[in-house]
Amino acid sequence: MILTGPAIAAAVRAGEITIAPYDPARLSPNAYDWRLGDTIRVCDGDLDAAVATAFTERIIPSTGLVLEPEALYLGVTLEKTGSEKYAQLLNGDRATGALGLWVHVSAPLGHQGHAIRWTLEIRAAKPVRVYPGMTFGKLVFLTAFGTPASYQRQHAKYAATSGIDISRLYREFPQGGS
């Protein structure tokens, strides 16, 4: 079941959900409006699942940064979010979609116990200027059923993350690609 805005606020007050920085004005009926952080990575060259992705990291200036089609950008949320009790789903929203931005389409699930600033996969349909701290999507919290297993205690590729992460699939290929 999905938490309502008032239930999210109550869980934040009770320490069951972490959202930092937290602004109660960003609550909506069933979600929290998250924002784009100030750093972005532009993936360079061809991508190969068996090789670590090369990238250029940029700070998004207060005057904005134009994202171009045909590029893959990895961004980061301004907020660090997490919960040992609830799972999370991170999505783009109507406002960013109407700008032709595809935001975080491949990995929306935040496991119980994973408190992070999310890495965002971003694509632009047309050139579009984005700004640090702009509303970029919605985060929902879900009640989990069954025995909880904290993600931070798992031996998972992304359990120890502190910001923008490239794909770690290359770790599954002992000899590298092609």
Side-chain angles (χ1 to χ4, degrees):
M1 295 192 305
I2 189 170
L3 271 65
T4 64
I8 294 169
V12 168
R13 285 191 303 274
E16 297 171 341
I17 290 176
T18 299
I19 301 174
Y22 175 69
D23 177 359
R26 303 192 70 72
L27 286 168
S28 59
N30 297 102
Y32 186 85
D33 293 341
W34 59 269
R35 295 169 286 177
L36 179 64
D38 67 355
T39 307
I40 202 157
R41 290 182 177 174
V42 183
C43 297
D44 300 329
D46 293 336
L47 303 178
D48 183 335
V51 177
T53 302
F55 61 86
T56 304
E57 189 165 292
R58 299 189 55 193
I59 298 297
I60 304 171
S62 61
T63 55
L65 176 69
V66 175
L67 304 184
E68 300 287 345
E70 303 302 319
L72 173 62
Y73 300 93
L74 299 177
V76 66
T77 58
L78 176 68
E79 292 84 3
K80 179 178 180 177
T81 67
S83 175
E84 287 289 338
K85 184 172 182 176
Y86 301 102
Q88 308 166 74
L89 285 177
L90 186 96
N91 298 293
D93 70 3
R94 174 74 177 89
T96 51
L99 290 173
L101 288 169
W102 289 278
V103 178
H104 209 68
V105 295
S106 68
L109 179 62
H111 298 284
Q112 288 174 275
H114 205 192
I116 58 169
R117 291 180 66 207
W118 294 68
T119 296
L120 309 168
E121 305 96 16
I122 305 169
R123 294 289 308 261
K126 298 183 75 158
V128 60
R129 185 175 298 274
V130 298
Y131 300 86
M134 70 183 274
T135 299
F136 226 62
K138 298 205 174 286
L139 179 69
V140 299
F141 292 88
L142 305 167
T143 300
F145 294 98
T147 305
S150 178
Y151 189 79
Q152 290 305 112
R153 295 182 187 99
Q154 306 292 315
H155 295 289
K157 279 189 212 75
Y158 303 100
T161 184
S162 60
I164 303 173
D165 280 325
I166 61 170
S167 171
R168 295 183 187 168
L169 276 175
Y170 66 90
R171 293 180 178 177
E172 296 179 14
F173 294 88
Q175 304 301 322
S178 33

